[in-house]
Amino acid sequence: MTSVQLPDGSIKEFESSVTVKEVAQSIGRGLAKAALWGEIDLQPVPLDHVIEGTKVPLKIVTNNKNAALEIMRHSCAHVMARAVMRIKKGSIQLAFGPTTDNGFYYDFMLEQPLTEDDFPKIEAEMAKIIELDEPFERLVEPREKAVQICADLKQEFKVEHINEGLADDETLSFYQQGEFIDLCRGPHVPSPKTIGAFKLLTIAGAYWKGDQSRQQLQRLYATAFFTQEELDKHQENQEEAKKRDHRVLGKKLGLFHIDEMVGQGLVLWTPKGAFIRQQLQDFILFHLRKQGYDQVFTPHIGKLDLYKTSGHFPYYEDSQYPAIVDRDTMAKLAEEGCTCGELSNRMSAGEVEGYLLKPMNCPHHIKIYDSQQRSYRDLPLRLAEFGTVYRWEQSGEIGGLTRVRGFTQDDAHLFVTQEQLADELIGCIKLVKIVFAAMGMEDYSVRVGKRDPNGDKYVGDPANWDLAEQACREAAETLGKPFTEEEGEAAFYGPKIDFVVKDCLGRKWQLGTVQVDYNLPERFGLSYIGADNAAHRPIMIHRAPFGSMERFIGVMIEHFAGSFPLWLAPEQARVLTVSEKSEDYGRKVEQQLISAGLRVTGDYRSEKLGAKIRDGRLDLLPYMLIVGPRDAENGTVSVRDRVEGDLGAMPLAQAIARFQQEVEQKTVRRPDEDGSDGTD
RNA sequence: GCUGCUGUAGCUCAGUGGUAGAGCACUUCAUUGGUAAUGAAGAGGUCAUGGGUUCAAGUCCCAUCAGUAGCUCCA
C-alpha cells in the first residue's frame, strides 16, 4: 500500500509502489505527457523514481510552468560552468549564475579571458556532460565546512558570499555533478537530459556584486529550452523583434540620422522624422494650452553662476559638456599660462566665469518666475518649453534615440503652493494619460519613487515630504492602473512618479516623469506673497509627459513597428498610376488630396502596379490610391489600406472624407501581428 | 568608462595573405500594365582612420574612432 499527497492536499492511494510517471498517468493523460520530473520534499526526482510509503508529499513538475523552465536553465548554467572549467586553462573563479527572463548567465573571472571562439568547444563539452547524465547531488553543510569547501576549491567569491551575503545561514547547500561542485540553493533537474536544447549567446562584462569599484567579471549569456523547436522559435522571435528596432526602422524609413562627424548621441532629424516630432509637439501643445500652461523660450546656454546656484555645477560636472569660456578671458588665461586643469579648478571656485550648455531647463524657468514679484493669485504658474538639453552620457550608454547626448524635453515647471500641489500633480498625470491613450499604449508601468526612510540625502521638511509622497500616491491612483512604490527611488529634492516602457529587446526606458521639488525654490530663494501679506516659498513640479522627444519617438517607432497612425504618418497616402496613361489624372488626384490638407505623394514611374504596391508596402504607407483609366473615367480612386488591403474603388471625395476623419479622431489601427494586411 | 563582437558600394551582406564581389537602390533605354518585384545596359570603392608585420594586407598585429550586446551610470 502506497499513497501520495499532492500539493492541493488530496491523497492518492495505490496497491503497491509506483513511479512518479504512474502517479501522473493516474491523474490524467495530459499531465503524464507534460510531466518532466517529480518533487518529493522539495527534492527533484526523475519520472521513473519509485515511490514507497504512505502520504509521500509529491509534486509533479510540468513544462508548462515557468518555474520548471527556470530550474532547468539554472541546471544548464551549472553544466555550462562545468564545461568552461574543463575547457579554459588557468584559475577560474565562479561568481553567480542565475536565470534571466529569456535564459541564464554565469559570471566568471578567468586567467584566460573567454571569447566567442570558445563557444563551439564549450557547447560541445556541455553536450558531452549532458549525455553522461550524472545527477546533481545535493550536499548540506554547516557554514564552517561550507567555507572550507569553497576555500579548498579556491573559490574566493563564494567564500566572500558565504561570509557576507549569507551571514545568517546556519547551513549551506552545494550541488555536485561529477567533478563540479558549486554553492547553490537549488533546486536542480533530476536528470541533465531534461535540458533539451541550449545555446551560448554572448559574452559581456559585469562587476562583482554589481559594483563598479570591484573586480570585473566575464558574463557568459546563454539560453535553454526543453525542446529544440522551442529554442528555434525563441530565436526566430528575437530576430523578428530586431526588425522593429527603432534604429533599423529609422534608417529604413528615413526618420533620423546620427552622423559620426556630428558626434555620438547627437540626432539629426530628417524631414520625415522631423514631421512626426512636430506633429507630436503640436498635439501636446494643444493640451497644454487647455490646461493653462504658458509657453516660454530660453537659450541653450547659461552662465556657470546659474548652475552653481542650482547646484548642478560642479556637482554634476562629469555628465556635462565642459563649460565655454569667452574669447577675451581665454586669451588672458592663455597669456597667464593657465592649464586646462587649472582652468577647470578656477571655474569651480568661481574665479573664472563661463557658460554651460544647459543640462536642464529648470534654472532658466526659475529665473522667469523670479523676474517679477509673484502673488498667490498668480499661482499656479505653469511654464512650458520644448527645451533642448545636453548631457555628457558615458560612451557605452549611448544608442539610437533612447539614450543620447542632446535631447529635447517636453518640459514644464509648475510653481505651486502646498495646497495646490495635489491637484496639480493630478493634472500632470492626466496629461501623461492623454499621451499614452492617444498612442494606444497600454503596456507601461508606473513607479512612485519615495525617499529612503533611513537616508539622509534629502532636502526639505519631512512633514512636507510626507504630504508630497501622499500627493504622488493619490495622483498615481487616478490612473486606475496598478503602480509600484519604491523607497529610495526619489530624487534628493523630492518624490516623483515615473512612467516606464520596454523596447523591442525588453530593455526598460523611463518616458514621462512628474517630480516634486522642494530644493530649487530654496536655493534660488523663490517666493510669492500670500493672502496673509507675507512671503512664502512656492513648490516646484518638474514634469515631462513624453520625457524627451527623442526617446519617446524611438519607443513609438517600435510600438507601431514603423506603421504610424494616419495623423502621425509623414506620408499618409501615395497615388499609384496603373500606367503612364493615367498620370494626368493621378496628378490631379494628388493635388486635390494635398489641397484637402493631406500629405500625399505620387508614384508615376513606368513600373508595373505590382512593383509600386510592393514599394508602398515596404514604406509602410497607411494608404495607396491606385488610379487607372477606369478611375479617371468615373472620378474614383481605388483605395488600398495598410490594415485591410484592397477596399475597391470609391469617389475621391469619399476617400478624402475617410482620411480626414481618421486624422481628426487620431485613430490607431494596427496591422495584424503577422504583418499581413488580410488580403495576401 | 569597462568586457565581448562588428566596421567592405546609398542599403543588406559575401570575400582562403596574391586583380574589389553579389542582391537591392540609383542612372539610361526599351516596356504601358488593375493590387507585393518587367527586361537590358551603365555608373558607383582611400575595404572606418592611423601605424606596423610581409615580396605582397580588405584579410595578420597595435592604437584610435564609431556601431552593437551586456555591466556601471542616468540631476
Side-chain angles (χ1 to χ4, degrees):
Chain A
M1 176 75 177
T2 298
S3 68
V4 299
Q5 182 163 28
L6 297 165
D8 64 358
S10 65
I11 308 273
K12 262 192 133 18
E13 295 186 341
F14 299 89
E15 297 284 311
S16 57
S17 64
V18 287
T19 65
V20 175
K21 181 135 195 147
E22 283 162 352
V23 175
Q25 277 160 345
S26 78
I27 297 170
R29 200 180 303 162
L31 179 66
K33 212 173 152 196
L36 292 165
W37 65 84
E39 230 177 73
I40 296 174
D41 275 334
L42 300 176
Q43 289 311 303
V45 292
L47 290 175
D48 56 9
H49 177 84
V50 179
I51 301 169
E52 282 170 331
T54 52
K55 281 198 169 187
V56 177
L58 174 73
K59 185 175 155 194
I60 292 165
V61 179
T62 63
N63 63 7
N64 46 30
K65 288 228 178 77
N66 286 336
L69 186 58
E70 272 189 34
I71 291 167
M72 183 275 279
R73 282 173 173 171
H74 181 58
S75 298
C76 195
H78 274 233
V79 171
M80 182 172 82
R82 186 178 176 188
V84 168
M85 293 191 85
R86 284 184 179 181
I87 299 277
K88 298 301 282 188
K89 305 217 161 39
S91 84
I92 298 174
Q93 300 277 316
L94 299 171
F96 295 133
T99 55
T100 62
D101 284 353
N102 286 319
F104 60 91
Y105 64 79
Y106 213 111
D107 285 348
F108 306 91
M109 194 163 79
L110 306 96
E111 224 167 286
Q112 286 187 325
L114 281 166
T115 73
E116 282 181 15
D117 294 339
D118 297 319
F119 283 11
K121 269 187 286 180
I122 296 170
E123 285 177 333
E125 197 62 35
M126 287 171 72
K128 258 196 251 170
I129 291 169
I130 291 170
E131 191 51 40
L132 271 178
D133 206 22
E134 293 166 295
F136 296 92
E137 289 175 66
R138 181 181 165 92
L139 321 167
V140 178
E141 303 291 352
R143 58 181 308 116
E144 282 86 62
K145 178 90 185 291
V147 170
Q148 195 53 51
I149 291 173
C150 293
D152 290 347
L153 292 165
K154 298 200 171 65
Q155 292 299 328
E156 279 150 35
F157 291 125
K158 302 283 180 184
V159 172
E160 182 195 316
H161 186 56
I162 295 173
N163 287 332
E164 289 170 21
L166 303 172
D168 298 333
D169 296 31
E170 289 296 314
T171 59
L172 295 140
S173 63
F174 289 83
Y175 278 82
Q176 179 161 21
Q177 192 203 25
E179 83 282 4
F180 183 79
I181 179 162
D182 193 11
L183 177 72
C184 173
R185 183 168 289 132
H188 280 278
V189 291
S191 157
K193 286 199 172 170
T194 316
I195 303 166
F198 61 88
K199 183 157 183 54
L200 303 194
L201 299 173
T202 179
I203 298 166
Y207 302 100
W208 170 235
K209 300 240 167 173
D211 184 344
Q212 199 174 1
S213 66
R214 307 205 61 181
Q215 297 95 320
Q216 181 154 33
L217 314 170
Q218 280 197 302
R219 177 167 295 178
L220 182 49
Y221 280 90
T223 193
F225 287 88
F226 289 114
T227 64
Q228 185 64 43
E229 292 75 54
E230 286 170 301
L231 175 62
D232 292 344
K233 182 75 194 153
H234 174 255
Q235 292 202 287
E236 207 178 291
N237 289 345
Q238 293 291 102
E239 287 307 308
E240 278 306 307
K242 279 185 196 160
K243 286 186 194 159
R244 64 157 62 197
D245 188 314
H246 76 275
R247 292 164 298 192
V248 174
L249 286 172
K251 189 176 272 186
K252 208 171 103 184
L253 302 175
L255 301 177
F256 64 93
H257 173 65
I258 297 171
D259 195 282
E260 253 190 64
M261 201 180 271
V262 176
Q264 247 190 319
L266 300 172
V267 180
L268 304 174
W269 289 93
T270 46
K272 286 183 178 175
F275 178 84
I276 294 169
R277 175 171 159 164
Q278 186 67 50
Q279 203 67 1
L280 285 169
Q281 193 168 312
D282 292 349
F283 163 69
I284 195 81
L285 212 45
F286 170 78
H287 288 283
L288 289 182
R289 292 200 178 111
K290 284 215 298 201
Q291 287 204 14
Y293 281 77
D294 294 313
Q295 186 72 23
V296 297
F297 294 102
T298 66
H300 285 220
I301 61 173
K303 277 162 101 175
L304 281 179
D305 202 23
L306 180 68
Y307 299 102
K308 279 182 198 147
T309 305
S310 71
H312 294 118
F313 185 89
Y315 190 57
Y316 288 105
E317 200 178 1
D318 285 351
S319 49
Q320 293 158 2
Y321 278 85
I324 303 160
V325 178
D326 73 68
R327 204 187 305 273
D328 289 346
T329 311
M330 198 59 124
K332 215 174 102 198
L333 289 167
E335 234 168 73
E336 290 171 18
C338 176
T339 65
C340 291
E342 282 164 19
L343 175 61
S344 172
N345 289 338
R346 290 172 68 176
M347 286 196 292
S348 304
E351 293 164 18
V352 175
E353 187 50 283
Y355 291 85
L356 205 59
L357 217 38
K358 71 177 172 188
M360 72 273 305
N361 305 301
C362 15
H364 286 85
H365 292 183
I366 284 171
K367 285 318 232 178
I368 292 176
Y369 174 91
D370 205 25
S371 63
Q372 51 181 276
Q373 192 179 61
R374 303 288 177 181
S375 148
Y376 73 99
R377 296 176 196 276
D378 299 330
L379 304 190
L381 182 69
R382 310 179 187 91
L383 302 180
E385 177 180 16
F386 294 94
T388 304
V389 297
Y390 299 89
R391 298 182 187 178
W392 188 260
E393 303 287 357
Q394 295 185 77
S395 61
E397 269 309 330
I398 293 170
L401 294 178
T402 39
R403 193 79 181 264
V404 290
R405 281 187 174 157
F407 57 96
T408 303
Q409 298 174 308
D410 57 325
D411 209 358
H413 295 95
L414 286 70
F415 299 85
V416 306
T417 67
Q418 180 70 52
E419 296 72 49
Q420 292 165 339
L421 181 63
D423 279 349
E424 288 303 313
L425 286 175
I426 290 171
C428 295
I429 295 292
K430 203 168 139 195
L431 264 178
V432 178
K433 219 167 141 180
I434 288 169
V435 166
F436 281 127
M439 300 300 140
M441 182 91 188
E442 279 149 29
D443 193 13
Y444 62 96
S445 59
V446 186
R447 194 169 63 189
V448 175
K450 303 193 295 184
R451 69 194 191 281
D452 178 349
N454 303 317
D456 54 2
K457 65 169 183 174
Y458 304 100
V459 301
D461 181 354
N464 282 340
W465 268 85
D466 289 339
L467 289 171
E469 285 181 359
Q470 182 57 24
C472 284
R473 201 176 297 123
E474 281 167 15
E477 274 162 12
T478 64
L479 282 164
K481 191 179 161 74
F483 58 89
T484 58
E485 294 184 36
E486 292 175 32
E487 287 185 345
E489 280 299 303
F492 71 90
Y493 50 75
K496 59 176 181 174
I497 308 163
D498 286 334
F499 297 83
V500 179
V501 301
K502 282 188 188 169
D503 70 11
C504 67
L505 298 177
R507 293 174 294 202
K508 288 181 179 175
W509 299 100
Q510 181 199 302
L511 291 180
T513 183
V514 180
Q515 309 185 355
V516 181
D517 188 347
Y518 289 105
N519 178 48
L520 287 176
E522 194 72 35
R523 293 188 74 105
F524 280 92
L526 301 185
S527 66
Y528 65 88
I529 309 297
D532 57 0
N533 199 29
H536 297 272
R537 189 79 74 211
I539 303 168
M540 267 178 81
I541 302 171
H542 309 250
R543 43 101 289 174
F546 291 139
S548 81
M549 302 309 290
E550 284 75 7
R551 183 177 288 178
F552 187 80
I553 293 171
V555 169
M556 284 307 115
I557 291 170
E558 298 186 0
H559 171 60
F560 293 120
S563 297
F564 283 93
L566 198 63
W567 70 281
L568 281 175
E571 188 178 355
Q572 294 174 315
R574 188 180 293 170
V575 176
L576 311 186
T577 46
V578 171
S579 79
E580 283 172 10
K581 286 177 191 154
S582 307
E583 182 170 342
D584 286 348
Y585 179 64
R587 289 194 184 276
K588 232 168 72 188
V589 168
E590 185 187 341
Q591 266 318 312
Q592 287 191 49
L593 287 156
I594 289 170
S595 303
L598 294 157
R599 299 181 294 278
V600 181
T601 61
D603 184 349
Y604 306 113
R605 295 174 301 165
S606 67
E607 289 292 340
K608 286 167 72 173
L609 181 57
K612 296 184 186 185
I613 287 173
R614 184 185 139 83
D615 289 344
R617 293 280 299 167
L618 294 176
D619 289 342
L620 304 176
L621 295 176
Y623 288 106
M624 286 181 252
L625 305 170
I626 289 125
V627 294
R630 289 207 298 270
D631 296 291
E633 198 171 314
N634 303 326
T636 58
V637 289
S638 300
V639 180
R640 196 180 209 285
D641 173 28
R642 181 173 62 195
V643 181
E644 288 169 46
D646 189 1
L647 301 179
M650 63 177 80
L652 180 55
Q654 189 186 328
I656 289 175
R658 179 192 170 106
F659 301 155
Q660 284 175 332
Q661 188 189 5
E662 192 173 331
V663 168
E664 184 61 31
Q665 297 178 347
K666 297 192 166 52
T667 313
V668 176
R669 301 159 69 228
R670 311 293 297 271
D672 292 344
E673 286 300 310
D674 62 5
S676 80
D677 62 7
T679 58
D680 299 338

